[in-house]
Amino acid sequence: MSTTSPRTPAEPDAGTGTGRWRLRHLPPLLLVSGLVAAGAAVVGGLVGGAVGAFAAALGVAVATASFVASTLVIAWADTINTKLVMPFGMGTYIAKVSLMAGLLLALMASGWAGLQPFAWGLAVGVVAWSAAQIWWIVTVHVPATRR
């Protein structure tokens, strides 16, 4: 949606002020993330034992939390004023990347045995969420707005 155009009737919940349509994708994407976290735990467990299982699932959970945080901040900003989406979205992104970099650096310095499964879980979580969101947009959201 353009920051200069008014909402159109084609947008779900347009004009109601609830903004619920901005969060409709979360349940299926959270389901995908849960399934991926379970799979990552199994693979991590096979490769690195209990620590690997925990670390891989934790990596997926951190990636998921990151995307959920962005979604909530951007949805909130959009309910206030669409011109706030970009600055709040970028601010959230910078904060998340900084926190994740700090977390990874701290884990590297600690010598934690789960660092590699955690990093793989983080990467797999990002890819899975991104793929699921693309699927959502192409198969659910865009067709719904064309009605």
Side-chain angles (χ1 to χ4, degrees):
M1 181 176 81
S2 170
T3 58
T4 58
S5 66
R7 299 200 193 295
T8 63
E11 292 182 72
D13 289 347
T16 65
T18 63
R20 290 184 185 157
W21 67 271
R22 294 174 189 89
L23 305 176
R24 284 184 356 172
H25 68 288
L26 284 181
L29 270 61
L30 288 170
L31 175 63
V32 167
S33 293
L35 294 171
V36 169
V42 170
V43 172
L46 292 173
V47 173
V51 172
F54 172 74
L58 181 63
V60 175
V62 168
T64 301
S66 168
F67 283 112
V68 169
S70 291
T71 298
L72 295 176
V73 168
I74 291 168
W76 170 81
D78 195 32
T79 62
I80 304 301
N81 185 334
T82 55
K83 292 180 181 179
L84 294 176
V85 169
M86 182 61 136
F88 276 89
M90 287 303 297
T92 302
Y93 177 78
I94 291 167
K96 291 183 329 180
V97 169
S98 299
L99 286 171
M100 280 193 234
L103 175 63
L104 286 171
L105 288 172
L107 290 175
M108 283 175 30
S110 74
W112 182 44
L115 177 63
Q116 192 169 15
F118 174 80
W120 278 107
L122 191 62
V124 168
V126 167
V127 170
W129 184 281
S130 299
Q133 191 158 19
I134 290 168
W135 167 83
W136 170 266
I137 289 169
V138 170
T139 63
V140 178
H141 180 69
V142 171
T145 59
R146 290 185 180 164
R147 290 182 201 157

